[in-house]
Amino acid sequence: MFKLNEYVVYKKDVCIVKEIKKNYFHNKDYYILEPINDKTLKINIPTDNKDLRNLITKEELTKIINKIPKVNIITTDDKLIEMEYKELLKNNNLLDLVKIIKTSYLRNKKRLDNNKKVGEKDQNYFELAEKYLYTEFSIVLNLTYNDTKKYIIDEIAKLDTKNT
C-alpha cells in the first residue's frame, strides 16, 4: 500500500497520493491521485489497481540508460508507424518509450537533413514519450525536467565515448 504524498505511476503518469479513502459501499480502499503535470485532475482508483506502480529506482534508471544505445528503432512502413507508436505506448514499458523517442527523432532528423518538414505524427509521439519518460526520471533523479533531459543526453554521450 502506498502512503500519503508518495509518488506513484498510474498508467504512464507520475502522480502524488493525495488521499486514501475507504468506500464503505464497495468495501474497498481508494487512492486519490494527482498527476504532477495536471494539478487540476484528481484520479480516484482502487488501491489494488493493476495500472499503479512504484517509481523506478535510481539503479533501474541507470540500467535503462545503459540499454538506450542498444534499443532498436522501429522499421515499419510509414503508414503503420502511428499504430506501432500507439502499441508501444500501451505497454507501459520505459524502454518502449525510448524506442519511440529514438525512432521519431531519427525519422525527423532524416526529414530535416533532406530539407523537408518535420513529421507531425513523429513529433507528437516524440514529445509524448519524452514527457512520460523524463517526468518519471526527473522525480527519481530529483532534477528539473530540462536538467533531466540534459543528464540523460550527457550519460548517453559518455556511453558512446566508452564504446568507441
Side-chain angles (χ1 to χ4, degrees):
M1 188 126 168
F2 297 106
K3 298 178 183 107
L4 282 179
N5 298 317
E6 187 174 355
Y7 287 104
V8 296
V9 178
Y10 175 62
K11 296 189 178 178
K12 287 173 277 317
D13 287 309
V14 176
C15 301
I16 298 174
V17 177
K18 291 307 241 180
E19 289 182 61
I20 303 170
K21 288 186 169 183
K22 180 84 166 164
N23 182 319
Y24 293 101
F25 183 73
H26 291 108
N27 198 27
K28 274 191 168 188
D29 289 336
Y30 282 78
Y31 292 121
I32 310 298
L33 306 177
E34 181 181 276
I36 65 168
N37 289 327
D38 185 355
K39 302 279 187 206
T40 64
L41 184 63
K42 300 288 184 254
I43 302 169
N44 193 0
I45 62 164
T47 56
D48 60 357
N49 188 296
K50 302 286 186 242
D51 292 322
L52 195 61
R53 67 171 175 82
N54 286 306
L55 290 176
I56 60 170
T57 64
K58 200 159 187 176
E59 293 77 27
E60 291 169 316
L61 186 144
T62 302
K63 287 178 185 175
I64 289 170
I65 292 170
N66 288 330
K67 290 178 183 177
I68 288 174
K70 296 177 184 98
V71 171
N72 293 322
I73 63 167
I74 303 165
T75 57
T76 191
D77 183 70
D78 278 357
K79 292 179 178 126
L80 302 174
I81 195 78
E82 186 170 23
M83 191 169 71
E84 186 76 26
Y85 285 156
K86 285 180 182 178
E87 221 28 63
L88 291 170
L89 277 175
K90 276 186 210 172
N91 294 340
N92 205 11
N93 178 320
L94 296 176
L95 284 173
D96 285 345
L97 295 176
V98 170
K99 184 179 266 194
I100 293 169
I101 292 167
K102 281 181 77 169
T103 301
S104 53
Y105 172 81
L106 291 171
R107 286 169 51 91
N108 276 333
K109 183 178 181 322
K110 185 177 177 184
R111 282 191 193 97
L112 290 172
D113 290 348
N114 291 317
N115 295 318
K116 293 183 179 177
K117 265 178 44 174
V118 166
E120 191 175 322
K121 266 186 264 182
D122 287 309
Q123 188 61 31
N124 289 341
Y125 283 98
F126 174 81
E127 290 171 3
L128 190 58
E130 264 197 336
K131 180 184 106 175
Y132 290 137
L133 187 71
Y134 293 143
T135 298
E136 183 167 357
F137 282 10
S138 70
I139 299 296
V140 173
L141 294 168
N142 197 27
L143 296 172
T144 66
Y145 183 89
N146 288 332
D147 286 346
T148 299
K149 282 176 79 168
K150 183 180 177 344
Y151 174 83
I152 302 302
I153 290 166
D154 291 347
E155 290 300 303
I156 293 169
K158 287 180 200 172
L159 289 172
D160 287 344
T161 304
K162 278 185 199 175
N163 294 330
T164 53

